[in-house]
Amino acid sequence: MQSRPCVNAAPSLDDPTAARTAGAQWLSVALIDARNRTLRWLQHFESLGRLHGAGPAAEHAQPCAGALPLPAQLIGRAAWFQEYWVARHVQRLRGAAADPQGPRLASIEPQADRWFARLGPQPDPVSGPSRGTPEPLPDGAALRPYLAATLETTLELLAGTPDTDTGLHVFRLALAHEDRLAERLAALGDTIGVAAPPPEVGLGVPAPSRTPREPLWIPARRFRPGIPRGTPGLVPALEQAGEEEAVPEFEIDAQAVSWARFAPFAEEGGYDDPRWWTEDGWAWVQRFGRRAPRGVEQLRGGVVLARFGRLVRAPAGEAVAHVNVHEAQAWCCWAGRRLPLEVEWELAASTAVSRGFLWGDVREWVAGRAAAWPGAPCQPVAGCPLPAAAAGRRVLRGASSWTSPRDRQRTARVGVHGARDDLFCGFRSCSA
């Protein structure tokens, strides 16, 4: 991407376009805003004695793909990632062209790389990989100075950085990463049964209950998914535009599948019938013994589920959440429908919002694997590498009700393991 001047406008801090294109002055305020929210999450987990995940709900949390990180790890990672890509990276002024594996300075926290570079249980230097008990992580008293010092350094460096896309790349990247971590902190708190945070902490609410809408018919057309080359601002690797392609006409749900539509599948024994599941999906059902989506305690007579440590009744029109791609595919097979192709989802989000296409209640599973768009440069961008070509890596589109407003990007593609159901993830369907 060429270096070019940025427009120093003063948009709202919630503006998703500004998050990727605004200049240094706006970025400095947004970075402070993101760090203050991280500190509020720290205070919330700490006040409940759950910074390190302690508590019966955490110990008996339903299993998911991979080990859950601890709140202290996610919170510390916000500071570590910022330091890693800004203060420590000697090539930061090269922007997207910087070598992701290039030389780095030492961290101000000697254990930072060990604690925060990877999430989940940490390996023990003597006995090898942990089997669920991580090594001691810093407490709030240690995390706060690290969070403060890394932000202070970032802002000092930002003040002396050229106001160009190249110069500001790593700062925009750090903001995007911390905004997304806030959503992960909310999902983690929900999963381990932490009490719901006040609105000023999490800046999120459950997805609203929607009145059912008829599916939308999208006419055939040629469409180029992703962000075109030369577009100013931050362009993650997975979002780099590929080739224009012909998209046949299709029908797609106007909104994410609700509990009212999903519950009959589970009530009628959908989790007991291998006809509806892929081979990988059925293996997952058998391994974990699921009979309903994560956290659901009752289906008949209304859905009752655990939400932030409390049993609540989910409105029938609320979008299904905490389902993985196997569950989404199984429901589609049972209902005689299918998951949308990624290009179909993006085309509908780009052209059919005025006709009632709603997104933003849950992040949504789509068909296909996490990979660059066909014909895209297929090159990692500094700080935004393409996901590893690992089995099960799938894509979530859209945003959830817990997503930071700055991260509500129509082109956003999040690559995660398809068995993940600890996130605020759901789906919509297309006609088969």
Side-chain angles (χ1 to χ4, degrees):
M1 182 187 297
Q2 293 183 340
S3 177
R4 55 181 294 171
C6 299
V7 178
N8 283 320
S12 163
L13 282 178
D14 290 340
D15 190 330
T17 300
R20 294 191 174 187
T21 62
Q25 185 175 358
W26 185 93
L27 268 175
S28 65
V29 179
L31 285 164
I32 293 170
D33 177 67
R35 185 55 50 86
N36 284 338
R37 183 186 53 212
T38 301
L39 287 166
R40 291 194 296 269
W41 272 111
L42 169 58
Q43 173 62 31
H44 181 64
F45 280 106
E46 191 177 37
S47 68
L48 298 171
R50 304 296 294 278
L51 189 58
H52 297 97
E59 295 171 1
H60 301 292
Q62 297 178 24
C64 64
L68 291 173
L70 300 177
Q73 286 180 297
L74 284 181
I75 291 168
R77 187 175 171 87
W80 173 85
F81 187 93
Q82 191 175 104
E83 184 190 35
Y84 188 79
W85 283 103
V86 179
R88 296 172 58 187
H89 199 5
V90 298
Q91 295 184 11
R92 67 175 179 277
L93 291 180
R94 298 184 186 181
D99 179 4
Q101 306 301 322
R104 282 179 168 79
L105 302 174
S107 172
I108 60 173
E109 169 49 65
Q111 297 297 318
D113 289 341
R114 183 174 181 82
W115 285 334
F116 308 125
R118 295 183 182 276
L119 299 176
Q122 305 293 297
D124 182 87
V126 176
S127 60
S130 168
R131 296 188 180 274
T133 304
E135 66 180 45
L137 289 165
D139 59 14
L143 282 172
R144 284 185 178 84
Y146 185 49
L147 288 161
T150 50
L151 177 63
E152 181 179 2
T153 301
T154 294
L155 296 178
E156 290 176 354
L157 293 172
L158 177 58
T161 296
D163 216 14
T164 64
D165 283 332
T166 299
L168 298 179
H169 175 82
V170 292
F171 298 93
R172 291 168 175 161
L173 177 70
L175 175 64
H177 186 266
E178 191 153 359
D179 279 341
R180 194 157 292 177
L181 278 178
E183 183 176 3
R184 288 198 64 185
L185 281 165
L188 179 60
D190 190 14
T191 299
I192 66 175
V194 167
E200 64 271 16
V201 173
L203 300 178
V205 295
S209 182
R210 303 285 189 186
T211 301
R213 292 172 177 255
E214 292 296 317
L216 301 172
W217 192 258
I218 309 297
R221 60 168 290 178
R222 296 193 66 81
F223 182 70
R224 186 190 304 275
I227 301 175
R229 299 181 190 182
T231 299
L234 176 66
V235 181
L238 273 178
E239 298 179 36
Q240 298 175 25
E243 301 170 346
E244 185 178 80
E245 57 183 290
V247 183
E249 61 182 6
F250 62 97
E251 179 203 86
I252 189 169
D253 291 337
Q255 56 207 41
V257 170
S258 66
W259 285 111
R261 296 179 67 193
F262 189 91
F265 164 69
E267 288 180 357
E268 296 173 14
Y271 283 78
D272 300 319
D273 193 336
R275 289 182 300 165
W276 313 125
W277 300 82
T278 63
E279 183 177 349
D280 288 343
W282 187 241
W284 172 83
V285 170
Q286 292 181 305
R287 178 184 177 189
F288 294 116
R290 288 290 179 84
R291 304 294 301 278
R294 167 180 287 276
V296 171
E297 298 289 340
Q298 173 185 302
L299 287 165
R300 297 189 183 278
V303 176
V304 175
L305 49 77
R307 178 172 289 157
F308 289 100
R310 296 178 57 227
L311 288 181
V312 299
R313 187 175 297 276
E318 184 181 285
V320 172
H322 294 307
V323 292
N324 63 27
V325 76
H326 303 313
E327 293 167 290
Q329 290 173 316
W331 181 90
C332 286
C333 185
W334 171 83
R337 296 180 68 79
R338 62 176 175 85
L339 287 179
L341 301 173
E342 249 201 288
V343 68
E344 293 173 332
W345 192 99
E346 189 163 322
L347 173 57
S350 300
T351 63
V353 169
S354 63
R355 295 167 49 204
F357 186 89
L358 299 175
W359 62 275
D361 290 346
V362 287
R363 293 196 182 266
E364 300 177 30
W365 296 108
V366 288
R369 303 285 176 175
W373 287 113
C378 201
Q379 296 178 349
V381 174
C384 304
L386 293 168
R393 200 76 169 181
R394 303 295 292 262
V395 177
L396 289 169
R397 297 302 305 259
S400 81
S401 61
W402 288 89
T403 302
S404 167
R406 287 190 292 261
D407 194 30
R408 291 174 178 267
Q409 308 282 350
R410 174 178 50 79
T411 57
R413 306 174 71 204
V414 180
V416 300
H417 196 286
R420 290 283 296 275
D421 60 7
D422 55 305
L423 307 174
F424 297 113
C425 45
F427 65 101
R428 72 181 70 217
S429 67
C430 287
S431 57

